[in-house]
Every structure is written in structure tokens, then in C-alpha cells.
Amino acid sequence: MTTCESLRPSKADEPRYLPIAEHGLIGDMRTAALVGTNGTIDWYCPLRFDAPSVFAAILDADRGGAFELAPDVPARTKQFYFPDTNILITRFFADNGVGEVQDFMPIVDDSREADRHRLIRRVLCVRGSLPFTVRVAPRFDYGRQTHAVRTEHGHTVFDSPDLSLALTSSVPVEIDGPDARGAFTLHEGQAAVFALDRIGGGLKPRACAVLEAEELFGSTVRFWRSWLSHSRYRGRWREMVHRSALTLKLLTYAPTGALVAAPTTSLPEQIGGERNWDYRYAWVRDAAFCIYALLRLGFTDEARAFARFLSENICLQPGPDGPLQIMYGIDGRSDIPETELTHLQGHLGSSPVRIGNDAVAQLQLDIYGALIDSLYLYDKWGEPLSSAHWDTVGMLVNWVCDNWDQPDEGIWETRGKAQKFLYSRLMCWVAIERAMRIANHRGLPADVLRWAETRDAIYRRIMERGWSEKRKAFVQHEGEDVLDAAVLMMPLAKFISPTDPKWLSTLDALGEELVSDSLVYRYDPRRSPDGLRGEEGTFSICSFWYVEALSRAGRVDEARLAFEKMLTYANHLGLYAEEIGRTGEQTGNFPQAFTHLALISAAFNLDRALG
């Protein structure tokens, strides 16, 4: 993996906001933190992914809070993951020495210690000597709560009304207003350790000496390598596929098996724009696709955990918008109200900053197909569905049979008017078709005649009204000739042959209008208004769908070139945000699960096509 190298300037010249891609991710499968190439943790929500932040400088350099740790001299920096793990190492190269910061969260079982949410920063001088500075500046509840700072038995304790954190340090730090600061010098072979723990509720501060940090480092390495050893992938792009798998595992909320779409909120799809959303929830669509990708690699435990999340944590209740919501809290809660944090300026001034997501109330029919397809794959490659799961499938399919022809907001969660989107109908077809496969394979009870009649009606509807003679392509929704990259799923979902003349014509049309240097736009918002101002970049998952569609169509050389080009748009660690901007910059929430699962699928199918 190519590392990222940059020159860390003096404090006075340091940029106030690092680009989104200049970050790595660490976590403990309960929460996560972003670590910049400058050594600063500028996003961290203790307790769990969707909890209020204490470090959010990526959203407001002044009010967000940060954990800064770096040499106090100009230095070049490089960042990489300790091989086959989610331990992040940031190296600093200065005139008089070389140092590194090892950032990780120990993986703890379901004992009470898991509630500690320990974040460890281990600093080493590997050559010469280096002076370092550290500043721990939490800003609780997205910067809305004040806090007090005190010293207790050698720990620096930050107390807010709702949360207390304890900083343990092997070098002296001093209280400076609401912050803690320190300065120290390390010589070759020396190390220093900082540990940040949640305390209270029976959890007391505990030491984290240099030796203990070394032991925790070793146990964390063993955990990640043991998990990754279960991968069955042996293809050409092993490093990128495994980094994607490790990222998806990192985005899993272990207590319930839910998977967040991304660990961040309000990172802008367009710098200075309003397309800023909170992705720290479990989208039915994203999670179901992730199960598909992880099953392909042999990670059946994750599929089992997600099935458990659906059966134990989500309450399916018939209503006007269906028994399923498009997203849920990582604990299964259905209420995710959207509010704006007007006191935060947003990343590079991109406002508003939002928490919660009003799209939770949208009708998106495609989620039924994504969910049932994942259960079909789980039944096929994991373990047979239980009778309770099959009862749920039957209820969902019957609802789809009654409601598939409604207009909805579609896969892209537009905030314009509802439409009869082709993709929504495609995935309703998938829901019924996959359920019929399960019933036929297992001999399970089902209203097969009704299901088949509805499945065939959806097929005919798509072929008749989803096809545009004018464009010689399948289009976004009925009544218009607008193209949409979501139709790339048609051959991937086995709705249409990847070499069908109508599909090949569609593929060519998409390539001419929505593809730029292998990068794929979702749609043209000027021709298909989505209710929002501004432009957006290319959508990374669509770029990998395009690769897979090309490979399935037999255009393997084009697919491989497009895939290799797409890999160059990853950041230095192999991570992808939601979108790629005009000059190759990453935009949107980061890293995005949707993109990494599509990379895995594209690599798997391209490997098979190349033989």
C-alpha cells in the first residue's frame, strides 16, 4: 500500500482543516475515531458511533475539539496501517529524528471493560530525538456542553454533565483552561503513552503504562489478524479487498450486529454546499449489501449477526409506508430526528451540520429487495433461515405484492417529489424472486402463484415503461428520459442478461453521459432535480457497479482498466469517502461502507472473469 507523505508545517502555518482523505480510521466495533496525517484526532464519539462527539474539529476547527499529538518541529509525515490490522501508524520525519504515533482501540469482549472505550496513543522515537507537544481539548456534546478539568491520582479528568473522560499519560501534562497540554522529548528507543478512557458508573481511572500499552498493542494485532485469516479471497487485489473487509468490520456495532453506513456526520458532498448528512445509522440497504460482500469472503459470523439484528432489534410494524424503515439506530430504534447544529461552521464552512436524518421517514421500496436478497444469500451460503425469519420474509413479500407500484423517493433519497423509479421496481422484483427461490429450495410454505404473478407484472412493467426508445436505454423513472447509474444493478441482480442488446445499449448510454475517467455520476441533478442546491461529485459505489457490469458484459479489458483507475482514487490507506470531486478529492462521509462493499464485489467478479 502506498503511504501518504506530506510536509507537516509549523503550527502557525498549519491548515485549519485537513482534507477528508487525509485521515485514517480506528475503532473497537462500538465507536470510531478519525486520525489525521498531522497526528490529530479530529473526530471521536465516545460510547458508540451515534453518540455526541467530544472531538469534532473536522466540522469546526475552533469549537469542535481535538486531540493533537505531533513533533514540535517541521516534519514530513507518512501514515499506514500495521499490516492486516486496524492499528494506524503516523510517522514523522524531522531533521533530528524519526518518530511515530500508534493509534488504536483495544478490542474487549462483552465484559464491563468494554464500556471503558479506551483510546490509546503510543508515541515512539525510532531514530535520533524529537520534541513532541500534546493537547487534549475535548468539547462535549458536539461542543454544546461545558466541562471542568481536575487532577485525580495522576489522571487528568474531564467532567461534563453527561460524560467523564480520564486521560492517563506516562509524561507530565498540565491543565490549561478547559484543556490539557504537555511537552516532552523522546530519544531513540524511548516511548510515551496516552490513554483516554470513559469513567463513571463504576468505571474508575486505570493506569496505562508503557508496558501495558505494548501488551494491548499485541493483543489487538492478534485479534485483527485472527479475524482476517478467515477470508477466502485469494485474488489479484488481495490488499485492497482485505482493507475493505477490515473497514467494514470496523463499522460494525458489535453489541447488536448493526453496521453503520459511515462513522461520520455532515462531511460535505460539495465543499461549501448543503448536501451534508448524518450516516451513523444502520441503513437496511447498505447493511444487506455488506452481508453479500462479507459472505463472498467467507465471513458468515457477520451475516449471522446482522440476521440477529433484524430479528431481535427491529420491530416490523405494518403502516402506510410499509413494515420497514430505510434506516434504524444501531440499537434498532426507529426514531432518528434530524436537527441542525448551528453553532458549528461545518467542514471548510460547509453548513448546515446535521445530526439525525429525516430521510428515515421516506418510502424507499428498494430496501425490500436488498434485505430479502441478503437473507437468500445467508440461507444459501451461511445457514438455513429459521421459521421466524421465513415468517418475516413472507410478510414482507406480501406487502411488496400490494405496494410495488407506488411512487417513492428512490435509492438516492432525493428530497424532491416522489417518482416511479425503475430501481425501486427492480428491487421489488428481486424481493419476490429471491423469496421464491428460498421457498422452492427449502419446500417452505408460500403463496407462490400470487408471488409469481406479481413478479412477472413487475418485469413487464420495467421492460415496457422503464425503456426509452429515444435514449435506447433504461431510464431513471417512468415518464422521463433521464439516465441513472442505479440501473447498473439490473444485470448484477440477474434481472436481465448482461449481454442483452437492450442492456448493452444502456451500458453505452451510461458510459457516454455519466462516466468520466471510470468515475460514475449517479444522475444529472440539472435534468433530474433532487430538491437540493449545488452539484455533487461522482458516486464511488456506482463506479464499482460500472466495473462489474462491464466485466459481466464480457468487456473485461475495459472493466480491469476502470477498476485499476478507481483504485487510484482511494486515499493513502485504501479508504473511500462517498464521492470523488472534480479534481480527484474525496468528499462526503468517510469512510463509506457502501463503497467498500462494492469494491469487494467488483474485485470478486472481475477476478472470475479474468480467470
Side-chain angles (χ1 to χ4, degrees):
M1 175 63 61
T2 302
T3 56
C4 175
E5 179 173 347
S6 59
L7 178 63
R8 183 180 180 273
S10 65
K11 289 282 186 182
D13 297 327
E14 198 166 292
R16 292 173 58 75
Y17 292 92
L18 280 180
I20 292 170
E22 292 288 310
H23 291 85
L25 185 74
I26 60 171
D28 60 2
M29 295 184 298
R30 287 168 172 81
T31 187
L34 292 185
V35 185
T37 53
N38 60 358
T40 295
I41 295 177
D42 55 15
W43 179 254
Y44 176 50
C45 302
L47 308 186
R48 48 191 250 173
F49 292 106
D50 56 354
S53 66
V54 296
F55 302 138
I58 198 169
L59 295 178
D60 193 310
D62 297 316
R63 302 178 185 88
F67 191 154
E68 301 169 0
L69 179 57
D72 196 26
V73 294
R76 292 178 295 111
T77 68
K78 292 185 178 181
Q79 199 175 58
F80 66 99
Y81 279 110
F82 197 78
D84 294 336
T85 76
N86 280 314
I87 297 174
L88 188 66
I89 299 178
T90 307
R91 307 202 88 200
F92 300 93
F93 301 83
D95 289 343
N96 295 321
V98 178
E100 66 183 39
V101 177
Q102 301 172 347
D103 285 302
F104 64 99
M105 295 185 195
I107 306 298
V108 182
D109 60 19
D110 290 329
S111 70
R112 186 163 184 76
E113 283 295 298
D115 294 333
R116 192 174 291 279
H117 302 287
R118 170 160 281 196
L119 191 160
I120 295 178
R121 312 202 73 185
R122 188 168 172 238
V123 193
L124 295 86
C125 182
V126 296
R127 299 186 68 182
S129 64
L130 278 177
F132 287 86
T133 59
V134 60
R135 173 176 173 258
V136 184
R139 299 295 182 265
F140 291 86
D141 189 23
Y142 307 106
R144 294 182 295 189
Q145 288 186 1
T146 58
H147 67 275
V149 189
R150 58 187 167 88
T151 300
E152 179 183 302
H153 305 301
H155 306 279
T156 303
V157 178
F158 304 91
D159 288 312
S160 77
D162 298 329
L163 177 67
S164 293
L165 299 175
L167 174 69
T168 305
S169 171
S170 64
V171 297
V173 296
E174 296 180 349
I175 294 174
D176 180 15
D179 308 335
R181 293 179 182 268
F184 58 97
T185 298
L186 295 180
H187 300 286
E188 188 168 326
Q190 292 183 328
V193 171
F194 300 88
L196 192 65
D197 296 304
R198 177 220 176 184
I199 60 171
L203 288 171
K204 297 180 179 180
R206 56 174 287 187
C208 186
V210 173
L211 181 59
E212 182 186 0
E214 186 174 348
E215 293 173 349
L216 289 170
F217 181 94
S219 64
T220 305
V221 168
R222 289 190 293 275
F223 171 85
W224 288 115
R225 288 183 171 174
S226 174
W227 180 80
L228 192 61
S229 68
H230 293 92
S231 170
R232 295 199 299 253
Y233 182 79
R234 300 292 183 270
R236 294 167 176 81
W237 296 283
R238 184 173 178 270
E239 188 172 3
M240 289 298 291
V241 167
H242 281 175
R243 177 50 51 199
S244 291
L246 283 164
T247 302
L248 293 175
K249 181 66 172 174
L250 204 55
L251 298 179
T252 302
Y253 184 60
T256 64
L259 189 113
V260 295
T264 54
T265 180
S266 300
L267 293 183
E269 297 176 15
Q270 179 188 20
I271 300 299
E274 66 172 343
R275 299 168 184 262
N276 318 317
W277 315 110
D278 192 349
Y279 278 11
R280 298 171 298 157
Y281 308 107
W283 263 255
V284 171
R285 176 191 309 116
D286 295 23
F289 277 118
C290 283
I291 297 309
Y292 166 78
L294 290 170
L295 279 171
R296 278 287 174 94
L297 301 181
F299 295 111
T300 55
D301 285 347
E302 284 65 35
R304 186 179 300 110
F306 179 58
R308 187 180 70 244
F309 171 70
L310 294 172
S311 61
E312 296 180 3
N313 296 91
I314 290 179
C315 182
L316 301 176
Q317 295 182 340
D321 292 325
L324 268 183
Q325 291 183 179
I326 70 167
M327 73 182 91
Y328 294 86
I330 53 178
D331 55 0
R333 75 186 189 280
S334 57
D335 187 27
I336 310 176
E338 181 178 305
T339 59
E340 296 184 4
L341 302 180
T342 56
H343 66 288
L344 297 179
Q345 70 169 214
H347 181 75
L348 288 171
S350 305
S351 62
V353 172
R354 295 180 171 97
I355 55 174
N357 199 312
D358 277 347
V360 68
Q362 290 187 353
L363 173 63
Q364 294 178 23
L365 295 169
D366 64 280
I367 60 175
Y368 295 91
L371 175 61
I372 295 176
D373 194 24
S374 74
L375 294 177
Y376 160 73
L377 293 168
Y378 178 61
D379 183 77
K380 180 180 179 181
W381 293 339
E383 59 186 32
L385 295 181
S386 68
S387 57
H389 285 146
W390 180 244
D391 289 342
T392 298
V393 168
M395 184 266 286
L396 295 176
V397 172
N398 287 331
W399 187 89
V400 169
C401 288
D402 291 333
N403 294 276
W404 67 269
D405 198 27
Q406 292 188 57
D408 70 346
E409 278 81 10
I411 181 177
W412 306 131
E413 294 170 11
T414 61
R415 299 204 175 186
K417 67 177 183 178
Q419 303 280 1
K420 295 194 173 185
F421 288 99
L422 184 151
Y423 182 79
S424 298
R425 276 130 195 78
L426 167 68
M427 297 308 290
C428 286
W429 178 91
V430 168
I432 301 171
E433 198 273 341
R434 299 303 192 268
M436 292 178 65
R437 288 195 191 194
I438 299 172
N440 291 334
H441 174 67
R442 296 270 308 280
L444 295 170
D447 192 351
V448 177
L449 292 178
R450 184 191 182 214
W451 290 5
E453 181 180 351
T454 307
R455 178 200 61 185
D456 296 346
I458 298 173
Y459 177 89
R460 288 190 291 269
R461 179 70 166 267
I462 291 174
M463 298 303 288
E464 292 169 5
R465 300 193 193 180
W467 171 258
S468 168
E469 276 295 329
K470 177 182 176 182
R471 301 301 302 273
K472 299 297 182 185
F474 290 102
V475 292
Q476 184 181 64
H477 56 77
E478 295 178 10
E480 296 286 348
D481 292 324
V482 177
L483 298 183
D484 188 330
V487 304
L488 287 164
M489 278 296 297
M490 294 177 74
L492 277 56
K494 303 186 185 307
F495 176 87
I496 193 170
S497 165
T499 57
D500 186 288
K502 283 189 172 182
W503 173 248
L504 294 178
S505 177
T506 300
L507 194 56
D508 288 339
L510 292 171
E512 291 172 7
E513 185 168 311
L514 297 182
V515 178
S516 172
D517 188 44
S518 82
L519 300 174
V520 181
Y521 292 94
R522 292 187 289 184
Y523 52 88
D524 183 349
R526 293 168 299 182
R527 297 193 62 189
S528 179
D530 55 15
L532 297 165
R533 296 186 301 271
E535 299 179 352
E536 64 170 21
T538 56
F539 210 66
S540 295
I541 187 174
C542 297
S543 301
F544 286 119
W545 285 351
Y546 183 60
V547 168
E548 192 166 342
L550 287 172
S551 65
R552 289 174 182 260
R555 294 158 62 172
V556 180
D557 288 342
E558 289 180 62
R560 184 169 189 176
L561 179 59
F563 187 75
E564 295 286 0
K565 282 184 176 182
M566 189 58 194
L567 296 185
T568 69
Y569 288 102
N571 84 339
H572 56 288
L573 299 167
L575 304 180
Y576 288 89
E578 184 178 21
E579 299 185 9
I580 307 294
R582 288 185 180 274
T583 58
E585 74 278 11
Q586 296 206 27
T587 61
N589 284 304
F590 171 89
Q592 193 200 34
F594 220 168
T595 300
H596 286 279
L597 68 93
L599 183 155
I600 292 171
S601 182
F604 186 92
N605 284 283
L606 187 53
D607 267 318
R608 186 166 57 185
L610 288 167

